[in-house]
Amino acid sequence: MQDINMVRNIAIVGHGNCGKTSLAEAMLYTAGKINRLGQVDSGTSAMDYEEEEINRNISINNSFHNYIWKKHQVFLIDTPGDDNFLNETLFATKVCDSAVFTIGAVLGVKGQTIKFADFIAERKLPCLLNITKMDRERANFEKAIDEIKAQLPVNPVVIHLPIGAEDNFRGIVDIIRQKAYLFNEGGSGKVTETDIPAEMLDDVEMYRESLMESVAETDDELIEKFLEEGELTKEELLAGLRKAIATSEIAPVTVSAATLNKGTELFLNAIIELMPSPADRPAAEGINPENEEIVSREPSLDEKFSAIVFKTMADPYAGRLTIFRVYSGVLSGDTFYNSSKKTSERFGQLYLLEGKDQKPVDSVGPGSIIAVAKLKETVTGDSLCDPSALIVFPELEPLKPVISFAVSAKQGDEEKLFSSITKMLDEDLTLKLSREQNTGEVLISGVGPIHLEILASKIKRKYGVEMELSRPKVPYKETIKGKARVQGKHKKQSGGRGQYGDCWIEIEPVESGSGLVFEDKIVGGVIPQQYRPAVEKGIQEAMEKGVLAGYPVVDIKASLVDGSFHNVDSSEMAFKIAGSLAFKKGAQEAGLVLLEPIMDITIKVGKDNVGDVMGDLNSRRGKVMGMDSDGKYEIINAQVPMAEIQTYATDLTSMTGGLGSFSIKFSHYEEVPGMIAEKIIAASSQE
C-alpha cells in the first residue's frame, strides 16, 4: 500500500481555452504514463475522449488519470472550463486536496477564472498557479500576474520565472534554487541546468526577495529571522512555503507551454515538492447517522474505511460507473456500506481510471480517486464507510438549473427517450426533468443551452434516440376582474328524447390560488339535486380549456342561483353543457384578463456590471426589489416575467463576460399588460 505522504490528488481548473487539458496531457507524457503527446485540437488527447468533447474542442466532463513521478502517486482530475459544466469543477474541488489553477498568458483572468477562484477560496483549497501558453503570440507573464493580484482571492508568489516569451520561450529560472533550466529539444519535457541569464539577475533577485518576504510573513520564527538577517536558507524557504501553501496563505506561480511540452518537468517536481498530501489536510468531518453526532476520519491507513461518491458515469455497455474519493482507511474485498442509503453494496472490481480506460487494482487507501461498476443503490453524493464506523459526509449540492426546454423524441420513441434521460440524470445532478401541467409539455432543465445540446448529442450517440429541444410555452392563465350574472341554456330537439338544461350562475373573482369555488344556492327544486354537480363539472371543464386564449381560467367563484328543467329531456349532460355555456358567457361579461408567471430572480454580478444588468432588467419588464453586497459582488433581487427570461443564461453570460450568475424560482401570477396580451391572444388564435 502506497505511503499516503507520497500521494497527491489534484484538480486542474481554469477558464475555457486556457490549456488545462493540454497541461494534463504534457504531465502524463513527461511522467511516462502515455507514450505520445496528444493534442486537444486534433482530437488525440487522452483526457478529452468523448465524441462531443472532440467535436467542440472543450472538456465537458471531469476526466481522470494518474501517474507516478519520483515514487509519488498523483491522481489527476481535468475539469471543464465552460460555464455550462461548472458543476463538474465544483464537485472536483470539493473532494481534491489541492488544485492546479491554470491562467492563460494571453487571455489572462476571465469571468470563469474568478468563479473558480471563489470555489477554491471558499474551501481554502491549496492551489498552485500555472501561467499557460507562454509560447503564444502576445503572451505576457507580468500582465497575468498583475491581473491575478488585482482580481483573484489568492496571494501569488513567483517560483518559476520564464526565460523569454512567445517564440523565444526557452527556459525557466527556479527562484527557490536560483538556477536556470533550458528546455531540451524534441518536446520531451526535460530540461538542462545552466546559468541564469545576466540580463535577468536583477529580476530574479527582486522575485526571490518578494518570495522570502511573503513566506516569512506566514510564520513568526521565519519573519523574525528574515528581519534580522534579511535572508532565508533554501531549506527554510521550502519548509515555510509548503506550510503556507497547505493553509492557503500562498499560491506559488509556475509557467508552461504545454502543447510544446515546455516547463513540464519542473512543474511535476513542484507538485510533489510543494503540494499537500492527504496526510497534510484536515480530517474529514461528517455525522454519525445513528446519533447525529459530529464525527471525523483522519487521513490514515489505520482508520476505518470512508469515502464519498462525487461522480457517476452512464455507459450503455459497461453500465453505471461510480467514482469516489477515499478519505480514510483501506478498501479491499468486494463490499462496502452505503451509510446514506443504509445498505451494503457488493462490487466486482476496483478500478483506477486512466482516461477512457480502467486499470484493475486490489486495494486503495486515503487520497485515492477510484471507480467501481454496476452498483445498484449508490449514486452521486452518497457516503461509503465501514459498517462498524458509520459516517455520512455533508451532501454535495449541485448547481441549480436555470434554463428549460420542451423535450420530445424526434421519431416518436418517447419511452426510449425518457428511459435514456433518466440514466443521464444519475450522471448529471444539474439536470431536471419535469412536466408543466398547464401546457402538457415535458421540460428538461439545465445550466445552459450548450449543456442541453450536448445532452441531446450524448443520448443519440449512447442510446440511439434523437431528442428534440424547443422553447417551452409560457404557462399563461386567465381570470376575471368583475362580476356577472348570466344564463346558460342548452335546448336541443331532434326527434325522440331531446336535451334540456337551464341554469343561472353568478361569477366573481376570488383570492389568488383559490381555483374554482362553487356554491349551490338553489332554493326549492328548480333544478333537481342530481343535476347540480353536472353544472359544476361543466364550469370546471370550460375553465380548463380557457375562454380568452385557450389558457386555464383560475380563481373564480361560481354560484348556481336559478334555473329550470324538463321532466323528460333534462339530463346530466344537458346541464353540464348549460354550465359550460353560462361560464363562457359570464367570463366575457365579467372582464377576462391574461395572467403571466412572474419569477423571483437573484443575480450575482461584479460591481462594474450592475448598470448594464439593471438596464437590461428594465427592458424585460423587471422590477428590482432590492440589492445586497457580497464582497466584490453585487446581488440584485428582482421579479421578472417568465416570458422575458427564457434565454437569460446566455444573455447574462454575454453581458458580464461569464462572471455573472443567477438563480430563479416561481413567485406569483400577474396581469399581462394590454398590448402584450393582445399579441399573445392573436398568436393563440392562429395556433
Side-chain angles (χ1 to χ4, degrees):
M1 181 63 63
Q2 179 85 41
D3 176 0
I4 63 169
N5 290 294
M6 307 281 277
V7 172
R8 304 287 184 271
N9 58 58
I10 289 176
I12 305 182
V13 303
H15 64 77
N17 198 34
C18 72
K20 297 182 301 299
T21 302
S22 297
L23 180 62
E25 197 79 14
M27 292 165 70
L28 294 168
Y29 178 70
T30 304
K33 188 68 182 185
I34 56 178
N35 56 22
R36 67 168 183 168
L37 186 61
Q39 301 288 334
V40 173
D41 292 345
S42 62
T44 56
S45 164
M47 302 299 269
D48 283 353
Y49 53 84
E50 287 209 345
E51 191 176 300
E52 293 77 18
E53 294 176 315
I54 293 168
N55 290 342
R56 291 175 181 260
N57 284 342
I58 61 170
S59 297
I60 291 168
N61 302 299
N62 282 334
S63 188
F64 305 88
H65 225 300
N66 65 89
Y67 64 87
I68 303 289
W69 184 253
K70 296 186 177 178
K71 299 181 180 179
H72 289 69
Q73 180 161 31
V74 182
F75 295 92
L76 211 54
I77 306 180
D78 178 27
T79 70
D82 190 284
D83 264 359
N84 286 268
F85 312 103
L86 206 56
N87 200 75
E88 294 279 300
T89 307
L90 175 64
F91 279 12
T93 57
K94 285 191 172 181
V95 300
C96 278
D97 293 322
S98 58
V100 168
F101 200 168
T102 56
I103 294 162
V106 180
L107 293 174
V109 172
K110 309 297 286 183
Q112 291 100 326
T113 319
I114 297 170
K115 286 183 183 178
F116 296 138
D118 288 341
F119 286 167
I120 288 167
E122 188 180 329
R123 191 171 172 252
K124 295 186 176 177
L125 189 67
C127 72
L128 184 156
L129 297 163
N130 186 259
I131 309 297
T132 59
K133 302 190 178 185
M134 278 300 302
D135 58 317
R136 301 297 171 90
E137 190 178 341
R138 293 183 293 111
N140 191 323
F141 176 77
E142 287 79 12
K143 179 173 173 284
I145 295 292
D146 289 343
E147 289 183 4
I148 291 166
K149 288 178 178 176
Q151 300 183 57
L152 302 185
V154 296
N155 179 19
V157 294
V158 175
I159 62 168
H160 290 170
L161 192 63
I163 301 174
E166 301 182 346
D167 290 343
N168 193 35
F169 179 49
R170 62 191 187 279
I172 287 172
V173 175
D174 184 327
I175 301 294
I176 298 170
R177 291 173 174 79
Q178 290 185 284
K179 292 180 180 178
Y181 300 88
L182 296 180
F183 306 132
N184 293 355
E185 295 295 326
S188 67
K190 306 295 183 183
V191 292
T192 300
E193 186 179 323
T194 187
D195 293 332
I196 297 171
E199 69 274 13
M200 292 184 68
L201 288 172
D202 289 344
D203 284 346
V204 170
E205 185 56 36
M206 180 190 72
Y207 277 111
R208 187 168 185 275
E209 188 77 16
S210 175
L211 173 61
M212 287 191 294
E213 188 177 336
S214 296
V215 170
E217 285 174 352
T218 66
D219 185 283
D220 290 342
E221 288 184 19
L222 290 180
I223 191 68
E224 191 173 324
K225 184 186 178 194
F226 182 67
L227 290 174
E228 284 179 6
E229 302 178 16
E231 184 73 23
L232 297 177
T233 65
K234 184 187 79 173
E235 290 69 29
E236 288 169 336
L237 196 52
L238 276 170
L241 189 55
R242 283 192 204 102
K243 183 180 171 186
I245 291 168
T247 54
S248 301
E249 294 173 88
I250 279 177
V253 178
T254 58
V255 292
S256 71
T259 54
L260 300 178
N261 202 12
K262 291 183 174 181
T264 316
E265 182 180 358
L266 297 180
F267 180 67
L268 292 175
N269 291 342
I271 286 173
I272 63 170
E273 192 171 50
L274 300 176
M275 304 313 286
S277 73
D280 298 320
R281 298 292 289 153
E285 288 194 342
I287 299 289
N288 183 330
E290 291 188 329
N291 55 25
E292 298 298 309
E293 288 183 358
I294 295 174
V295 287
S296 63
R297 293 288 178 272
E298 293 292 336
S300 163
L301 294 169
D302 300 326
E303 272 272 23
K304 297 289 187 180
F305 166 73
S306 69
I308 189 165
V309 177
F310 69 97
K311 173 80 176 166
T312 305
M313 295 167 67
D315 189 285
Y317 307 109
R320 196 164 62 181
L321 206 59
T322 303
I323 303 164
F324 54 92
R325 182 256 158 91
V326 180
Y327 282 121
S328 64
V330 177
L331 176 63
S332 57
D334 60 1
T335 59
F336 48 59
Y337 187 73
N338 182 328
S339 52
S340 301
K341 295 285 194 301
K342 299 182 179 178
T343 183
S344 289
E345 281 268 51
R346 183 176 291 275
F347 58 87
Q349 178 68 58
L350 296 168
Y351 294 105
L352 280 176
L353 292 169
E354 302 189 335
K356 63 182 176 182
D357 300 318
Q358 296 107 39
K359 176 185 174 184
V361 290
D362 294 328
S363 62
V364 290
S368 300
I369 305 291
I370 214 75
V372 293
K374 299 180 181 177
L375 296 182
K376 293 178 180 176
E377 303 286 340
T378 303
V379 296
T380 302
D382 283 354
S383 297
L384 312 175
C385 64
D386 187 300
S388 67
L390 298 180
I391 187 168
V392 176
F393 295 110
E395 283 187 34
L396 296 173
E397 288 197 20
L399 299 173
K400 290 182 171 58
V402 295
I403 193 167
S404 299
F405 285 93
V407 61
S408 59
K410 258 187 182 174
Q411 278 127 12
D413 198 347
E414 301 288 328
E415 189 176 331
K416 188 176 180 183
L417 172 65
F418 292 118
S419 167
S420 304
I421 292 175
T422 301
K423 290 172 184 170
M424 300 306 289
L425 294 178
D426 288 339
E427 182 175 316
D428 188 346
L429 298 189
T430 58
L431 290 170
K432 184 181 176 187
L433 193 66
S434 60
R435 181 179 289 277
E436 174 51 63
Q437 289 184 333
N438 290 340
T439 64
E441 291 180 318
V442 177
L443 303 180
I444 185 79
S445 304
V447 177
I450 295 173
H451 183 206
L452 297 179
E453 285 170 21
I454 285 175
L455 171 69
S457 176
K458 277 187 179 181
I459 286 175
K460 181 181 178 183
R461 174 171 58 84
K462 288 186 174 185
Y463 304 104
V465 58
E466 287 197 63
M467 182 172 98
E468 191 160 31
L469 298 171
S470 58
R471 183 179 284 204
K473 296 173 184 173
V474 177
Y476 294 107
K477 293 181 180 179
E478 302 172 14
T479 194
I480 59 171
K481 298 194 80 173
K483 298 180 179 181
R485 177 186 169 99
V486 291
Q487 180 185 25
K489 192 170 187 178
H490 177 62
K491 184 177 181 182
K492 193 172 183 183
Q493 198 71 41
S494 56
R497 183 174 174 177
Q499 295 180 41
Y500 184 89
D502 176 27
C503 64
W504 282 83
I505 64 169
E506 292 175 350
I507 63 170
E508 60 186 300
V510 288
E511 190 177 315
S512 177
S514 301
L516 169 63
V517 179
F518 182 78
E519 191 171 350
D520 181 355
K521 289 187 175 181
I522 294 294
V523 178
V526 290
I527 300 177
Q529 178 63 46
Q530 70 263 32
Y531 297 143
R532 296 176 202 170
V535 175
E536 180 183 2
K537 193 169 183 183
I539 293 170
Q540 199 161 30
E541 287 186 5
M543 286 176 66
E544 287 170 5
K545 291 177 181 176
V547 180
L548 189 63
Y551 297 104
V553 184
V554 295
D555 306 331
I556 302 275
K557 180 179 181 182
S559 303
L560 179 58
V561 294
D562 203 353
S564 63
F565 75 103
H566 189 280
N567 279 326
V568 177
D569 293 344
S570 286
S571 64
E572 285 187 26
M573 179 57 72
F575 272 97
K576 188 169 111 172
I577 294 170
S580 175
L581 293 170
F583 173 76
K584 289 175 184 176
K585 184 178 175 185
Q588 295 281 12
E589 289 187 17
L592 275 163
V593 293
L594 202 61
L595 301 175
E596 64 180 342
I598 304 297
M599 311 301 286
D600 282 328
I601 184 167
T602 300
I603 309 165
K604 186 176 181 180
V605 294
K607 291 178 169 59
D608 293 343
N609 299 123
V610 170
D612 290 341
V613 171
M614 298 272 267
D616 180 71
L617 285 173
N618 288 334
S619 73
R620 297 173 189 266
R621 300 188 284 126
K623 298 174 189 170
V624 175
M625 311 303 286
M627 286 184 64
D628 295 305
S629 286
D630 178 17
K632 61 180 179 286
Y633 295 105
E634 293 293 321
I635 298 171
I636 303 167
N637 297 300
Q639 290 186 336
V640 192
M642 179 193 282
E644 301 286 350
I645 53 170
Q646 288 186 305
T647 61
Y648 197 63
T650 307
D651 300 335
L652 184 65
T653 297
S654 177
M655 263 188 291
T656 63
L659 184 56
S661 60
F662 73 105
S663 62
I664 53 173
K665 64 178 181 179
F666 171 75
S667 174
H668 64 283
Y669 272 84
E670 262 182 27
E671 184 179 341
V672 180
M675 288 182 66
I676 296 171
E678 286 174 15
K679 291 177 183 176
I680 296 166
I681 294 164
S684 177
S685 299
Q686 283 185 344
E687 284 182 20

